[in-house]
Amino acid sequence: MRVLLLGSGAREHALARSLSADAEVQALLALPGNPGIAQVARCVAGDPTDPAAVVRLAREEQVDLVVVGPEGPLVAGVADALTAAGIACFGPTAPAARLEGSKAFAKEVMAAAGVPTAAAHVCTTLEQARAALSATGAPYVVKEDGLAAGKGVVVTGDLDVALAHAAGCLSRPGGRVVVEDFLDGPEVSLFCLADGRTVVPLAPAQDFKRAGDGDTGPNTGGMGAYSPLAWLDEQHPGLVDEVVAAVALPTVREMARRGTPFTGVLYVGLALTAAGPRVVEFNARFGDPETQSVLARLRTPLAGVLLAAAQGRLAELPPLDWSPDSSVTVVVAADGYPVAPRTGDEVTGLAAAEEVDGVHVLQAGTALRDGRLVSAGGRVLSVVSLGADLAEARSRAYAAAHRIHLQGSRFRGDIARAAEQGDVHVPTRKA
């Protein structure tokens, strides 16, 4: 199998690492990739959001499967162009990717499918947003309607901060915001592979959105993650099957009913509230950084699974095989992230970090300049560990992270700490 991977982040590096380890993959290309991905794939310069360019490259390279990492190419219609050209693509068409591209559309689909989620108000003016915030009360939840690279959401107890975020979103052309009721309880990320009809869930994970320890500071694209969730198995056994039955399958069926079948990853972001699981958001691709930990535990060769999804054959697959080990991902971010990340600083210590047992380092915001690896984005690296349990995985991840040198960089020190200490609690479910 010849595979083309679109994207350049740590999520794509995780995908590239898994795909390159698959014996069925004869050749792996990445558009555009990054210096880390270049160690396991042939990177090609170009724009992954240009449908014609992607189709042209896939044809020239006689690609059997295109795997789309980030959301940009999906919303740009890359999957549509590939499908029209008869090239298998793991990723939804642009109409189906609206589940991520528009939070208002996602709410509409959830309502039609009977999916449990927070009550929401779609606002196109600041006056509407002010009225909606008054109706929901604090804590206030304000989401930009369109794509925002994981940073378009503000959750705050300060009405002025909520209104300022709404005003910023509404000032953009066609700007809309979604104001939602706040959902209590721990959050869970569940990736569901879909082929338009069948849904196959991956192992659940939990990520950490806030920049600082103790969930302080601004929202980011994600500062770390871990999998599996032992506390979930203990406190809410059967959640994965419940979410597939009540959320993923109804959504996939509703999209098919609308004539826009969903193929790819339906990322279900959940809050485990006192009233039961509620959907916080949908994404139309693998999440970052959860993918890094989830794929580290997947033993089933990845390429065949993604090809089966692209070709509508998920129902034919045997159950996925998972390592019992725990995986922790710690994101190393540049100075100033997420507001104004500094770039161009040299990154060293990766080889030393990977000398720690069970650790590999994935690159995201990196570039090669004059033979030196330098920072080129906000989230620079993902340090991924495997351990016999969460304590061992955390110890290894942080031991490795401390061996990496990047001026002014930082990482959260509490990724998976509460879970390790048995301090994650699902609110008592109401009758």
Side-chain angles (χ1 to χ4, degrees), residues 59-81:
R59 281 177 168 159
E60 289 172 355
E61 296 291 342
Q62 298 181 319
V63 164
D64 301 295
L65 173 68
V66 177
V67 177
V68 184
E71 59 273 24
L74 298 173
V75 175
V78 166
D80 310 60

Side-chain angles (χ1 to χ4, degrees), residues 19-419:
L19 289 166
S20 66
D22 189 332
E24 295 299 316
V25 176
Q26 173 192 1
L28 177 62
L29 296 87
L31 175 69
N34 66 38
I37 294 173
Q39 297 171 12
V40 295
R42 176 160 63 89
C43 293
V44 181
D47 181 3
T49 67
D50 182 339
V54 174
V55 169
R56 183 165 56 250
L57 176 62
R59 281 177 168 159
E60 289 172 355
E61 296 291 342
Q62 298 181 319
V63 164
D64 301 295
L65 173 68
V66 177
V67 177
V68 184
E71 59 273 24
L74 298 173
V75 175
V78 166
D80 310 60
L82 289 164
T83 302
I87 301 167
C89 176
F90 180 79
T93 61
R98 286 188 68 205
L99 282 174
E100 176 168 3
S102 169
K103 291 177 176 61
F105 175 73
K107 286 289 186 181
E108 175 193 321
V109 171
M110 282 188 256
V115 169
T117 187
H121 309 262
V122 180
C123 309
T124 57
T125 68
L126 194 57
E127 291 72 24
Q128 291 175 352
R130 190 185 303 274
L133 290 165
S134 176
T136 62
Y140 305 105
V141 181
V142 183
K143 299 181 177 182
E144 186 165 6
D145 181 51
L147 295 177
K151 297 185 285 290
V153 180
V154 162
V155 181
T156 178
D158 188 324
L159 180 60
D160 290 338
V161 171
L163 284 169
H165 181 63
C169 298
L170 293 169
S171 68
R172 291 185 262 279
R176 296 195 299 178
V177 295
V178 176
V179 176
E180 293 186 354
D181 286 344
F182 176 76
L183 296 173
D184 65 325
E187 293 192 7
V188 172
S189 300
L190 182 65
F191 304 151
C192 294
L193 307 184
D195 64 4
R197 297 183 303 275
T198 303
V199 170
V200 173
L202 302 187
Q206 187 175 58
D207 76 331
F208 296 78
K209 292 284 199 305
R210 298 282 191 168
D213 284 14
D215 291 329
T216 58
N219 265 357
T220 71
M223 293 298 293
Y226 68 97
S227 176
L229 312 182
W231 58 266
L232 182 63
D233 295 334
E234 295 167 0
Q235 300 179 50
H236 199 135
L239 176 78
V240 170
D241 291 341
E242 182 180 338
V243 172
V244 168
V247 176
L249 269 175
T251 300
V252 168
R253 287 168 179 162
E254 174 63 18
M255 294 300 287
R257 187 191 67 78
R258 292 168 178 244
T260 52
F262 189 96
T263 297
V265 178
L266 179 63
Y267 170 130
V268 182
L270 297 161
L272 304 186
T273 76
R278 297 289 183 269
V279 174
V280 176
E281 65 175 347
F282 282 147
N283 289 331
R285 37 72 190 179
F286 285 108
D288 184 337
E290 300 99 314
T291 298
Q292 288 87 300
S293 278
V294 171
L295 290 186
R297 298 183 53 237
L298 181 64
R299 289 172 167 171
T300 303
L302 182 63
V305 176
L306 302 188
L307 183 62
Q311 295 178 337
R313 298 185 290 103
L314 278 180
E316 301 173 9
L317 293 183
L320 300 179
D321 182 23
W322 296 95
S323 165
D325 287 349
S326 292
S327 177
V328 170
T329 296
V330 175
V331 170
V332 178
D335 184 24
Y337 178 76
V339 178
R342 191 174 75 193
T343 60
D345 293 313
E346 186 171 9
V347 183
T348 61
L350 271 64
E354 292 190 327
E355 290 175 358
V356 177
D357 285 347
V359 168
H360 60 273
V361 180
L362 302 173
Q363 298 185 32
T366 61
L368 282 175
R369 292 181 188 163
D370 301 323
R372 299 181 306 132
L373 188 69
V374 300
S375 60
R379 293 188 295 172
V380 182
L381 304 168
S382 284
V383 179
V384 185
S385 68
L386 282 171
D389 55 25
L390 206 50
E392 183 173 65
R394 289 192 74 244
S395 175
R396 289 175 170 180
Y398 281 108
H402 281 290
R403 296 186 179 191
I404 293 169
H405 303 284
L406 169 62
Q407 185 178 353
S409 66
R410 60 182 184 80
F411 50 84
R412 281 184 58 161
D414 63 346
I415 303 301
R417 178 190 293 160

